[in-house]
Amino acid sequence: MAEVTLTIDGKQVTVPAGTTVLDAARSAGIFIPTLCHDPELTPWGGCRLCVVEIEGMRNLPASCVTTVTSGMVVHTASPAVVEARKTIIELLLANHPQDCLTCGRNGDCRLQDYAYMYGVREPGFTGERHSYPIEDDNPFIVRDLNKCILCGKCVRACAEIQGKNIVDFAYRGFNTKVTPAMDSTLAGSDCVFCGNCVAVCPVGALQEKRLRAAARTWEVKKVRTTCPYCGTGCTFDLNV
Ligand code: FES
């Protein structure tokens, strides 16, 4: 297979042609934060947190959907990149409940991790906030759309891992949300509650009801397991 050599943060990196900048950086041990990316799902490029600076380009491309080219020079933590990431985190927090202390995902939330990592202590922007009712009408999953960051991982996990297409994006602009058809609840849809969507959610929008009631995130460990429902044998991470 053809290989491509590029420079990332001053380090020469050689990867197979077709590799994304994100994967090339990771292969060299260079950290780039991600929210909507998951190696088991189709890259989407929606959250923009993985932006990098590439010499010769005027914008900051998302590294998870940008393919490496020979001689490319990438900076993953330049002042412009750090500033862009901080702004993205501030924008997300501007419409996100500030209840980390009592959130069931406290200590296991990517948004919380990155806010801490980039020194974002306040939302930075004020404006309208969502006030969705918390969906709690099934025995397995609590869905709090007020905490959803629209990363689309649950949409792709449902379609690509479980093959169900139960949830998708609906509405437009500020009103965009992820929901089953006809804006029903999960209980009112054909959801089999396999838990793949919960396993990939990076924030507190989707939580296992049993876990939320029984333990804090640091009291459990993630194990690789197999969904028992449809017999396909899909594997995913489960908290035990
Ligand atoms: Fe690349 Fe979200 S992780 S755009």
Side-chain angles (χ1 to χ4, degrees):
M1 184 183 288
E3 292 196 321
V4 170
T5 298
L6 67 159
T7 306
I8 308 179
D9 293 349
K11 213 178 195 179
Q12 280 225 325
V13 183
T14 300
V15 290
T19 303
T20 63
V21 172
L22 175 66
D23 287 339
R26 287 184 171 175
S27 74
I30 296 168
F31 172 79
I32 295 176
T34 61
L35 280 171
C36 73
H37 181 74
D38 188 298
E40 293 183 32
L41 303 173
T42 303
W44 188 54
C47 76
R48 316 308 287 183
L49 198 68
C50 69
V51 290
V52 292
E53 198 169 339
I54 296 178
E55 290 187 10
M57 289 180 78
R58 289 175 58 189
N59 61 352
L60 300 178
S63 61
C64 68
V65 288
T66 303
T67 307
V68 296
T69 57
S70 184
M72 189 182 248
V73 180
V74 181
H75 303 282
T76 70
S78 65
V81 166
V82 171
E83 202 49 45
R85 290 184 189 149
K86 274 186 173 176
T87 303
I88 291 165
I89 295 165
E90 286 176 347
L91 285 166
L92 288 171
L93 289 175
N95 184 25
H96 196 89
Q98 312 291 303
D99 66 345
C100 297
L101 277 179
T102 52
C103 178
R105 289 290 298 267
N106 185 20
D108 183 27
C109 171
R110 289 268 197 90
L111 185 56
Q112 187 185 49
D113 291 344
Y114 295 145
Y116 184 79
M117 185 181 292
Y118 286 94
V120 178
R121 300 286 178 259
E122 291 176 356
F125 298 93
T126 53
E128 196 178 352
R129 283 170 173 257
H130 288 126
S131 181
Y132 295 117
I134 295 176
E135 186 183 312
D136 193 19
D137 62 346
N138 69 77
F140 307 107
I141 296 172
V142 178
R143 217 162 59 108
D144 183 352
L145 292 186
N146 302 300
K147 293 181 178 172
C148 177
I149 58 169
L150 299 175
C151 69
K153 284 168 90 172
C154 56
V155 175
R156 282 171 285 152
C158 189
E160 297 173 16
I161 300 176
Q162 190 64 12
K164 293 288 284 181
N165 292 296
I166 296 298
V167 289
D168 207 340
F169 291 99
Y171 304 103
R172 290 277 186 276
F174 180 73
N175 295 320
T176 304
K177 64 174 174 175
V178 174
T179 184
M182 308 304 289
D183 210 354
S184 78
T185 63
L186 291 177
S189 73
D190 287 337
C191 177
V192 295
F193 297 101
C194 66
N196 276 301
C197 57
V198 180
V200 297
C201 180
V203 292
L206 297 169
Q207 296 184 42
E208 280 176 64
K209 193 176 274 189
R210 186 181 55 101
L211 174 67
R212 213 165 85 127
R216 310 307 306 269
T217 52
W218 51 87
E219 296 172 325
V220 297
K221 63 176 181 186
K222 277 189 174 26
V223 296
R224 204 74 179 147
T225 190
T226 305
C227 169
Y229 291 103
C230 70
T232 305
C234 306
T235 57
F236 65 106
D237 293 327
L238 180 72
N239 291 305
V240 294

